[in-house]
Amino acid sequence: MAEKLRATPLLDELEKGPWPSFVTEMKKSAAKNPMANDQLGILEHSYRDKIGHWKHGGLVGVMGYGGGVIGRYSDLPEEYPECAEFHTIRVNQPAGWFYTSDVLRKLCDVWEKHGSGLTNMHGSTGDIILLGAKTEALEPVFSDLTEMGFDLGGSGSDVRTPSCCCGESRCEWACYDTMKFTHELTQHFQDELHRPAFPYKFKFKMAGCPNDCVASVARSDMSIIGTWRDNIQIDQKEVAAYVKNGLDIDADVTSRCPTGCIKWDGKALQIDNTNCVKCMHCINTMPKGLAPGKDRGATILLGAKAPIIGGALLASVLVPFYDMEDAEDIYELAEEIWDVWGEHGMNRERVGEFIQRIGLGNFLEQIGLEPEPEMVMHPRTNPYIFFELDEEG
Amino acid sequence: MSTPAPRKTDIGPPHYEQFLPEVIKKNYGKWKYHERPKPGVLLHVGHSGDKLWSVRAASARLMSIETLRLLADIADEFCDGHLRFTSRNNVEFLVVDESKVDPLIERLNKEGYPVGGTGPGITNIVHTQGWIHCHSAASDASGVVKSVMDELFPYYDGSKTLPAKLRIAFACCLNMCGAVHCSDIAILGVHRRAPVIKHDQLRGQCEIPSTVSACPTGAIRPTTVDGRETVEVIEEQCMFCANCYTVCPAMTLNDPVNDGLSIWVGGKVSNARSEPMFSKLAIPFLPNNPPRWPETVAAVKNIVEVYAKDARNYERVGEWIERIGWPKFFEMTEIEFTKYHIDDFKHAGETYKRSLHFRQK
Ligand code: SF4
Ligand code: SF4
Ligand code: SF4
Ligand code: SF4
């Protein structure tokens, strides 16, 4: 079906320049799809009057699921009738965001049949985003998606779609198999992902090493970041080759080590591994010469979030090192946390805020973990200690 | 009519393994090192000696199925149909035949999906929905991102480099659907007026107690207007967070004149050298000026250029500022320091200077 495109003099400006244009993308869909065409029109409208034209909420979804669809309605339904209902469908991505051309085409076919033809590859949490479905299309999309082996992701106060870096599939620095772990975790918590029952959302992100390419420390309630405990592996010949090829090893590597534990004497590299904090810098600069140690696992951190409501948080250390041998241990830990937070957390209070409110020490006690000095930047500076009343003498 | 198949639920995502190319299956967990042979290309080498070239192309993140089909065709032509997306919305073609790399780059550039985004430079901007699809957006996301990336393009395609990688993120409201609070440069949509309350709709759409308790500063009080139960906002107490709007659609914040953008700098998430850090406020407000947001583009470019000139190798923006000090940052960028830069939320005192460690002016 050929559509006469909505006039978009302002948006047309954004088709110029070298960066791929989202306007061009919208027009490609709009040429065939009336929903996308009205969406183009409504966006031009926003560019004209400098406000958005979407209303939030409205409970929509597929039968038996409490998440995965974000209801969206426009406030200009008469002018742009085709996108009056324009819901977002979150589709759980395959771990690591790998596709074949085949499966990508099948996804396109489903979306051509039922929706606007517009997507995000991918959304902020990691899902495939199908942008713009009418309410009546939701069940049919869902049925076609499950038929080809895909399922919805999370939304609302549930486990949000876990995501990870590509890890061992293509990165020599991965200290555990992020994709396998993420896939299994996602399968394990399908119920928690599809049926919101928490005080607020709970995100998992998995990064294979302290470079944290998925920003898990900033973006996930539970962040699992690969690391190691033994010595950095050194190939002295390759290190020497970097120097010979012009790397200024003093300026760019050793003097940048945060603990000053790495030395180059002109012939060999020496690392005082007892003082290495596994920051990755030296390894990043000489990937051929250095590699993480062999005793690998991960650090588990808790509580990152964006500002709403009580201010932004970075995640903080909960388990300094776990060998990642048994995923069950992490499932149990997560469930412990959900029990405590589920019972005592306030509505729309993320787990990080909850911990700030009750104190990390109390939280640890409730989930049954021992306090360790790795969990703090430094001990408390104020003397207002809530001594327990049964301590005497 | 045929009988419908039983409804499938809770099947979870498809297993990734079926989408991996052979070379990855074979070298999974056994990669030895990688190099960056040219801008936009990563070469991974396995202990087996196998090689994999990943060719990284830009995307607008918002993509039509026509484009996805085009990418699928390109993948068929050059790399047996194998591709992946990155956490920053780039697309990577997974190539095992070295002779295909250059023709693939040429093809992607020709189709308008330029290759780049590796190494010490700027890659795709993580961003949010904006006016395309969100109710609380204080600005559009895609338009600002497109305008900024057009301007900074030489840092993407490798024609210019930076001392270290520089990660930009965009979020259109304080909900921050992208991790903008820990980015080298963050662009954040802000509201600047208290919610306008639609008293006639409030009772029908919202619960009064949950609306009152949604406000982190306690600015919302129950009241009666024209005999109707509703709420009021003590404007001096409002910090324009829009939390009430998320809970109650009748508390609208969108404002064509007073919404706009703020700029934050110096955050990072990696542990390399320094610990992860938050981005800090550089510019509290810039106007919404579609379609190309020239003030915002110029502000970001200015910060990038000052950093490019002054920072040392491997120094991220935040590390550079820590070395030179904030007074110098404001001096060098010629950004005005105002009272808005001084924190007044929880734990604000921790950000006040307590030493005499000042550098020469
Ligand atoms: S987080 Fe580490 S392991 Fe994962 S892709 Fe990045 S560098 Fe590789
Ligand atoms: S990983 Fe970081 S802390 Fe450890 S030796 Fe290398 S630079 Fe130093
Ligand atoms: S950042 Fe705010 S406005 Fe933007 S998509 Fe997220 S919730 Fe919507
Ligand atoms: S915008 Fe935020 S601070 Fe202002 S009234 Fe609403 S919830 Fe309170």
Side-chain angles (χ1 to χ4, degrees):
Chain A
M1 170 175 23
E3 289 286 317
K4 187 175 173 312
L5 288 187
R6 293 266 186 180
T8 53
L10 290 170
L11 289 174
D12 292 349
E13 285 299 312
L14 290 164
E15 288 199 278
K16 300 168 186 164
W19 193 251
S21 168
F22 69 100
V23 176
T24 308
E25 295 297 326
M26 293 175 78
K27 286 186 179 177
K28 281 191 197 176
S29 282
K32 296 187 177 166
N33 184 303
M35 289 181 78
N37 198 16
D38 273 5
Q39 151 83 344
L40 187 65
I42 210 167
L43 186 65
E44 177 74 12
H45 204 113
S46 282
Y47 269 61
R48 232 172 17 242
D49 58 15
K50 301 195 200 181
I51 51 170
H53 287 289
W54 300 102
K55 296 193 292 185
H56 73 114
L59 283 179
V60 287
V62 302
M63 208 181 23
Y65 280 29
V69 181
I70 320 294
R72 202 61 89 206
Y73 301 87
S74 102
D75 65 3
L76 300 167
E78 276 92 41
E79 261 174 275
Y80 307 97
E82 285 296 329
C83 67
E85 292 170 0
F86 207 74
H87 312 313
T88 301
I89 302 170
R90 292 186 180 158
V91 181
N92 199 145
Q93 80 288 359
W97 299 292
F98 284 90
Y99 299 89
T100 55
S101 50
D102 223 32
V103 75
L104 215 50
R105 282 193 197 97
K106 282 192 194 139
L107 280 168
C108 292
D109 293 345
V110 170
W111 197 224
E112 175 161 54
K113 195 161 119 201
H114 299 290
S116 73
L118 290 168
T119 72
N120 290 147
M121 300 297 280
H122 295 80
S124 291
T125 305
D127 302 273
I128 302 163
I129 304 291
L130 303 179
L131 209 58
K134 296 182 181 176
T135 310
E136 72 212 21
L138 297 175
E139 277 297 333
V141 178
F142 179 64
S143 145
D144 283 4
L145 285 171
T146 49
E147 205 42 54
M148 62 175 289
F150 281 81
D151 198 348
L152 300 189
S155 69
S157 299
D158 59 11
V159 167
R160 294 298 182 86
T161 308
S163 74
C164 62
C165 78
C166 64
E168 292 189 349
S169 76
R170 204 201 51 192
C171 187
E172 66 272 25
W173 296 328
C175 294
Y176 73 98
D177 189 346
T178 52
M179 283 168 41
K180 177 166 186 281
F181 179 83
T182 301
H183 182 77
E184 289 172 358
L185 174 89
T186 311
Q187 291 294 352
H188 186 83
F189 287 127
Q190 280 295 293
D191 192 33
E192 287 78 0
L193 203 151
H194 294 307
R195 287 162 204 97
F198 295 153
Y200 205 8
K201 56 186 138 185
F202 193 94
K203 299 188 182 186
F204 286 98
K205 283 195 195 298
M206 278 52 73
C209 82
N211 283 329
D212 195 3
C213 295
V214 285
S216 73
V217 76
R219 310 181 69 175
S220 52
D221 297 273
M222 186 178 274
S223 153
I224 303 178
I225 305 180
T227 185
W228 66 96
R229 285 190 294 197
D230 56 344
N231 297 346
I232 289 182
Q233 305 180 59
I234 309 180
D235 183 336
Q236 296 288 1
K237 238 177 56 216
E238 292 292 351
V239 172
Y242 276 105
V243 177
K244 192 156 159 266
N245 292 331
L247 175 72
D248 186 343
I249 196 164
D250 291 326
D252 288 343
V253 185
T254 57
S255 70
R256 295 253 173 247
C257 171
T259 61
C261 70
I262 178 168
K263 297 265 167 331
W264 168 251
D265 64 7
K267 284 192 223 85
L269 196 70
Q270 277 155 22
I271 299 177
D272 167 12
N273 279 283
T274 58
N275 279 309
C276 165
V277 290
K278 289 115 196 152
C279 83
M280 290 297 293
H281 175 72
C282 58
I283 301 174
N284 289 343
T285 49
M286 300 188 287
K288 269 185 176 173
L290 301 177
K294 291 178 176 164
D295 179 13
R296 298 177 176 192
T299 298
I300 304 173
L301 302 96
L302 203 64
K305 59 179 286 292
I308 302 297
I309 301 170
L313 294 172
L314 278 157
S316 72
V317 173
L318 185 70
V319 180
F321 187 85
Y322 176 66
D323 60 18
M324 297 303 282
E325 285 300 324
D326 188 358
E328 290 288 338
D329 288 345
I330 295 184
Y331 305 160
E332 276 169 30
L333 177 65
E335 280 164 354
E336 257 336 309
I337 292 167
W338 296 338
D339 279 350
V340 173
W341 172 55
E343 190 171 341
H344 303 291
M346 299 193 295
N347 184 32
R348 300 191 74 231
E349 183 176 49
R350 293 280 285 272
V351 75
E353 284 167 322
F354 172 64
I355 294 171
Q356 303 266 313
R357 177 161 64 82
I358 70 162
L360 179 61
N362 294 328
F363 178 75
L364 291 172
E365 208 164 70
Q366 295 199 27
I367 61 168
L369 284 184
E370 290 297 320
E372 294 182 56
E374 282 82 0
M375 297 171 177
V376 293
M377 290 203 280
H378 55 72
R380 72 160 72 223
T381 56
N382 71 69
Y384 304 127
I385 306 173
F386 289 92
F387 285 111
E388 298 197 349
L389 298 180
D390 54 8
E391 273 186 51
E392 226 183 313
Chain B
M1 247 172 73
S2 60
T3 43
R7 194 167 176 275
K8 286 186 197 165
T9 66
D10 298 278
I11 60 171
H15 201 284
Y16 53 86
E17 206 172 74
Q18 58 195 299
F19 307 129
L20 300 178
E22 276 313 309
V23 63
I24 283 186
K25 282 189 204 159
K26 190 173 150 209
N27 294 279
Y28 200 105
K30 290 180 261 182
W31 295 102
K32 187 160 188 274
Y33 68 90
H34 75 277
E35 292 175 340
R36 298 192 308 262
K38 57 178 75 176
V41 182
L42 300 173
L43 164 60
H44 285 87
V45 181
H47 287 283
S48 63
D50 288 349
K51 292 180 173 179
L52 169 67
W53 285 266
S54 302
V55 176
R56 186 177 288 176
S59 95
R61 186 176 92 120
L62 180 68
M63 279 192 284
S64 65
I65 51 176
E66 280 69 27
T67 296
L68 289 176
R69 285 173 177 147
L70 172 68
L71 298 178
D73 290 346
I74 295 176
D76 279 347
E77 197 179 325
F78 293 91
C79 49
D80 295 323
H82 287 290
L83 72 172
R84 71 177 288 267
F85 293 83
T86 71
S87 58
R88 303 192 80 86
N89 312 108
N90 296 309
V91 52
E92 285 178 345
F93 293 83
L94 306 166
V95 184
V96 284
D97 177 355
E98 184 173 9
S99 71
K100 300 272 175 70
V101 171
D102 286 333
L104 171 60
I105 294 173
E106 201 181 311
R107 176 72 185 281
L108 288 165
N109 286 335
K110 196 184 110 225
E111 296 285 358
Y113 303 95
V115 170
T118 55
I122 293 175
T123 183
N124 212 340
I125 299 179
V126 165
H127 61 280
T128 47
Q129 298 295 14
W131 292 335
I132 283 183
H133 206 233
C134 198
H135 63 283
S136 54
S139 179
D140 189 34
S142 309
V144 181
V145 166
K146 161 80 175 143
S147 304
V148 172
M149 284 310 289
D150 277 342
E151 191 66 34
L152 299 178
F153 190 75
Y155 298 104
Y156 171 79
D157 75 355
S159 41
K160 285 187 181 177
T161 56
L162 289 170
K165 61 181 169 188
L166 191 150
R167 295 289 176 253
I168 308 180
F170 180 101
C172 27
C173 84
L174 273 52
N175 275 326
M176 282 193 194
C177 299
V180 316
H181 58 298
C182 297
S183 307
D184 293 283
I185 299 180
I187 310 169
L188 174 65
V190 288
H191 300 289
R192 291 190 305 166
R193 289 295 179 271
V196 175
I197 304 162
K198 296 184 179 155
H199 294 297
D200 52 330
Q201 294 169 21
L202 194 125
R203 264 319 289 277
Q205 295 180 349
C206 327
E207 287 175 38
I208 288 179
S210 62
T211 308
V212 168
S213 67
C215 181
T217 69
I220 304 176
R221 288 195 297 226
T223 188
T224 314
V225 172
D226 300 332
R228 253 196 296 251
E229 280 182 69
T230 179
V231 299
E232 65 183 349
V233 173
I234 309 160
E235 294 201 0
E236 306 75 63
Q237 240 162 283
C238 179
M239 57 182 183
F240 323 111
C241 71
N243 200 40
C244 54
Y245 184 42
T246 302
V247 172
C248 172
M251 313 272 295
T252 56
L253 270 102
N254 298 343
D255 180 321
V257 182
N258 292 297
D259 289 350
L261 297 167
S262 58
I263 309 279
W264 305 70
V265 295
K268 74 194 268 283
V269 293
S270 98
N271 284 274
R273 302 166 303 282
S274 52
E275 296 187 352
M277 40 184 150
F278 285 109
S279 313
K280 286 106 186 166
L281 181 65
I283 304 175
F285 185 81
L286 293 166
N288 254 338
N289 198 355
R292 294 207 76 111
W293 285 268
E295 299 85 356
T296 301
V297 172
V300 172
K301 191 179 181 196
N302 173 43
I303 295 167
V304 170
E305 286 178 346
V306 173
Y307 159 76
K309 225 185 280 162
D310 197 59
R312 296 176 183 160
N313 261 356
Y314 293 105
E315 214 167 40
R316 297 281 293 264
V317 171
E319 296 169 309
W320 163 64
I321 299 174
E322 280 195 349
R323 177 168 60 78
I324 65 169
W326 284 97
K328 202 62 152 258
F329 169 81
F330 284 99
E331 188 190 313
M332 291 175 79
T333 54
E334 295 178 28
I335 295 170
E336 189 193 357
F337 187 83
T338 69
K339 80 166 188 182
Y340 295 134
H341 289 88
I342 302 175
D343 198 351
D344 50 13
F345 196 55
K346 278 190 223 165
H347 315 302
E350 287 172 16
T351 66
Y352 304 162
K353 181 92 165 174
R354 297 143 174 138
S355 81
L356 280 69
H357 291 195
F358 301 118
R359 288 162 182 81
Q360 238 172 32
K361 282 257 182 188

